[in-house]
PDB file of all heavy atoms in Angstrom:
ATOM      1  N   ILE A 425     120.841   6.802  78.789  1.00 98.00           N
ATOM      2  CA  ILE A 425     122.048   7.488  79.269  1.00 98.00           C
ATOM      3  C   ILE A 425     121.984   8.973  78.937  1.00 98.00           C
ATOM      4  O   ILE A 425     122.301   9.835  79.773  1.00 98.00           O
ATOM      5  CB  ILE A 425     123.301   6.835  78.659  1.00 98.00           C
ATOM      6  CG1 ILE A 425     123.469   5.403  79.192  1.00 98.00           C
ATOM      7  CG2 ILE A 425     124.552   7.662  78.967  1.00 98.00           C
ATOM      8  CD1 ILE A 425     124.487   4.577  78.424  1.00 98.00           C
ATOM      9  N   GLN A 426     121.566   9.299  77.717  1.00 97.00           N
ATOM     10  CA  GLN A 426     121.464  10.706  77.320  1.00 97.00           C
ATOM     11  C   GLN A 426     120.421  11.439  78.162  1.00 97.00           C
ATOM     12  O   GLN A 426     120.655  12.577  78.595  1.00 97.00           O
ATOM     13  CB  GLN A 426     121.116  10.800  75.832  1.00 97.00           C
ATOM     14  CG  GLN A 426     122.243  10.340  74.920  1.00 97.00           C
ATOM     15  CD  GLN A 426     121.782  10.138  73.485  1.00 97.00           C
ATOM     16  OE1 GLN A 426     120.642   9.750  73.226  1.00 97.00           O
ATOM     17  NE2 GLN A 426     122.659  10.420  72.536  1.00 97.00           N
ATOM     18  N   ASP A 427     119.285  10.807  78.401  1.00 97.00           N
ATOM     19  CA  ASP A 427     118.233  11.430  79.210  1.00 97.00           C
ATOM     20  C   ASP A 427     118.696  11.641  80.652  1.00 97.00           C
ATOM     21  O   ASP A 427     118.384  12.667  81.273  1.00 97.00           O
ATOM     22  CB  ASP A 427     116.970  10.562  79.205  1.00 97.00           C
ATOM     23  CG  ASP A 427     116.252  10.558  77.860  1.00 97.00           C
ATOM     24  OD1 ASP A 427     116.578  11.418  77.014  1.00 97.00           O
ATOM     25  OD2 ASP A 427     115.388   9.687  77.659  1.00 97.00           O
ATOM     26  N   MET A 428     119.444  10.682  81.187  1.00 98.00           N
ATOM     27  CA  MET A 428     119.907  10.802  82.562  1.00 98.00           C
ATOM     28  C   MET A 428     120.901  11.955  82.702  1.00 98.00           C
ATOM     29  O   MET A 428     120.833  12.736  83.663  1.00 98.00           O
ATOM     30  CB  MET A 428     120.551   9.497  83.034  1.00 98.00           C
ATOM     31  CG  MET A 428     120.973   9.519  84.500  1.00 98.00           C
ATOM     32  SD  MET A 428     121.433   7.891  85.155  1.00 98.00           S
ATOM     33  CE  MET A 428     122.934   7.558  84.240  1.00 98.00           C
ATOM     34  N   GLU A 429     121.813  12.082  81.736  1.00 97.00           N
ATOM     35  CA  GLU A 429     122.760  13.199  81.822  1.00 97.00           C
ATOM     36  C   GLU A 429     122.032  14.534  81.723  1.00 97.00           C
ATOM     37  O   GLU A 429     122.342  15.486  82.455  1.00 97.00           O
ATOM     38  CB  GLU A 429     123.817  13.107  80.726  1.00 97.00           C
ATOM     39  CG  GLU A 429     124.890  14.187  80.908  1.00 97.00           C
ATOM     40  CD  GLU A 429     125.766  14.383  79.682  1.00 97.00           C
ATOM     41  OE1 GLU A 429     125.239  14.335  78.555  1.00 97.00           O
ATOM     42  OE2 GLU A 429     126.964  14.611  79.859  1.00 97.00           O
ATOM     43  N   ALA A 430     121.055  14.634  80.814  1.00 96.00           N
ATOM     44  CA  ALA A 430     120.332  15.895  80.636  1.00 96.00           C
ATOM     45  C   ALA A 430     119.603  16.303  81.914  1.00 96.00           C
ATOM     46  O   ALA A 430     119.434  17.497  82.190  1.00 96.00           O
ATOM     47  CB  ALA A 430     119.339  15.767  79.482  1.00 96.00           C
ATOM     48  N   ALA A 431     119.181  15.319  82.713  1.00 97.00           N
ATOM     49  CA  ALA A 431     118.430  15.607  83.941  1.00 97.00           C
ATOM     50  C   ALA A 431     119.337  15.839  85.147  1.00 97.00           C
ATOM     51  O   ALA A 431     118.858  16.305  86.188  1.00 97.00           O
ATOM     52  CB  ALA A 431     117.473  14.455  84.243  1.00 97.00           C
ATOM     53  N   MET A 432     120.624  15.534  84.992  1.00 95.00           N
ATOM     54  CA  MET A 432     121.549  15.665  86.118  1.00 95.00           C
ATOM     55  C   MET A 432     121.871  17.134  86.396  1.00 95.00           C
ATOM     56  O   MET A 432     121.950  17.961  85.479  1.00 95.00           O
ATOM     57  CB  MET A 432     122.845  14.902  85.800  1.00 95.00           C
ATOM     58  CG  MET A 432     123.851  14.818  86.932  1.00 95.00           C
ATOM     59  SD  MET A 432     123.442  13.554  88.146  1.00 95.00           S
ATOM     60  CE  MET A 432     123.604  12.058  87.171  1.00 95.00           C
ATOM     61  N   THR A 433     122.062  17.485  87.662  1.00 94.00           N
ATOM     62  CA  THR A 433     122.500  18.834  88.024  1.00 94.00           C
ATOM     63  C   THR A 433     123.792  19.151  87.289  1.00 94.00           C
ATOM     64  O   THR A 433     124.757  18.362  87.353  1.00 94.00           O
ATOM     65  CB  THR A 433     122.729  18.933  89.540  1.00 94.00           C
ATOM     66  OG1 THR A 433     121.512  18.620  90.216  1.00 94.00           O
ATOM     67  CG2 THR A 433     123.189  20.324  89.926  1.00 94.00           C
ATOM     68  N   PRO A 434     123.865  20.281  86.547  1.00 94.00           N
ATOM     69  CA  PRO A 434     125.035  20.564  85.711  1.00 94.00           C
ATOM     70  C   PRO A 434     126.375  20.451  86.440  1.00 94.00           C
ATOM     71  O   PRO A 434     127.358  19.965  85.872  1.00 94.00           O
ATOM     72  CB  PRO A 434     124.783  21.997  85.235  1.00 94.00           C
ATOM     73  CG  PRO A 434     123.291  22.106  85.201  1.00 94.00           C
ATOM     74  CD  PRO A 434     122.803  21.290  86.366  1.00 94.00           C
ATOM     75  N   GLY A 435     126.420  20.861  87.697  1.00 93.00           N
ATOM     76  CA  GLY A 435     127.671  20.825  88.426  1.00 93.00           C
ATOM     77  C   GLY A 435     128.218  19.432  88.672  1.00 93.00           C
ATOM     78  O   GLY A 435     129.401  19.272  88.997  1.00 93.00           O
ATOM     79  N   PHE A 436     127.378  18.426  88.507  1.00 95.00           N
ATOM     80  CA  PHE A 436     127.818  17.053  88.758  1.00 95.00           C
ATOM     81  C   PHE A 436     127.890  16.186  87.494  1.00 95.00           C
ATOM     82  O   PHE A 436     128.311  15.054  87.556  1.00 95.00           O
ATOM     83  CB  PHE A 436     126.887  16.371  89.770  1.00 95.00           C
ATOM     84  CG  PHE A 436     127.123  16.803  91.191  1.00 95.00           C
ATOM     85  CD1 PHE A 436     126.330  17.780  91.769  1.00 95.00           C
ATOM     86  CD2 PHE A 436     128.147  16.248  91.940  1.00 95.00           C
ATOM     87  CE1 PHE A 436     126.557  18.205  93.071  1.00 95.00           C
ATOM     88  CE2 PHE A 436     128.383  16.662  93.243  1.00 95.00           C
ATOM     89  CZ  PHE A 436     127.587  17.643  93.814  1.00 95.00           C
ATOM     90  N   ARG A 437     127.456  16.734  86.362  1.00 96.00           N
ATOM     91  CA  ARG A 437     127.413  15.924  85.139  1.00 96.00           C
ATOM     92  C   ARG A 437     128.771  15.323  84.802  1.00 96.00           C
ATOM     93  O   ARG A 437     128.875  14.124  84.471  1.00 96.00           O
ATOM     94  CB  ARG A 437     126.912  16.771  83.978  1.00 96.00           C
ATOM     95  CG  ARG A 437     125.423  16.997  83.968  1.00 96.00           C
ATOM     96  CD  ARG A 437     125.014  17.901  82.806  1.00 96.00           C
ATOM     97  NE  ARG A 437     123.594  18.223  82.872  1.00 96.00           N
ATOM     98  CZ  ARG A 437     123.045  19.238  82.210  1.00 96.00           C
ATOM     99  NH1 ARG A 437     123.791  20.020  81.439  1.00 96.00           N
ATOM    100  NH2 ARG A 437     121.741  19.455  82.322  1.00 96.00           N
ATOM    101  N   ALA A 438     129.808  16.135  84.874  1.00 95.00           N
ATOM    102  CA  ALA A 438     131.126  15.630  84.478  1.00 95.00           C
ATOM    103  C   ALA A 438     131.629  14.541  85.410  1.00 95.00           C
ATOM    104  O   ALA A 438     132.399  13.667  84.982  1.00 95.00           O
ATOM    105  CB  ALA A 438     132.136  16.784  84.449  1.00 95.00           C
ATOM    106  N   ARG A 439     131.212  14.556  86.648  1.00 95.00           N
ATOM    107  CA  ARG A 439     131.646  13.521  87.598  1.00 95.00           C
ATOM    108  C   ARG A 439     131.062  12.164  87.240  1.00 95.00           C
ATOM    109  O   ARG A 439     131.629  11.128  87.578  1.00 95.00           O
ATOM    110  CB  ARG A 439     131.229  13.900  89.025  1.00 95.00           C
ATOM    111  CG  ARG A 439     131.689  15.284  89.480  1.00 95.00           C
ATOM    112  CD  ARG A 439     133.151  15.311  89.897  1.00 95.00           C
ATOM    113  NE  ARG A 439     133.421  14.496  91.059  1.00 95.00           N
ATOM    114  CZ  ARG A 439     133.158  14.855  92.317  1.00 95.00           C
ATOM    115  NH1 ARG A 439     132.546  15.987  92.570  1.00 95.00           N
ATOM    116  NH2 ARG A 439     133.492  14.041  93.319  1.00 95.00           N
TER     117      ARG A 439
END
Side-chain angles (χ1 to χ4, degrees):
I425 293 167
Q426 291 167 327
D427 289 346
M428 184 169 68
E429 186 195 39
M432 186 79 65
T433 301
F436 283 98
R437 283 178 185 162
R439 306 281 296 281

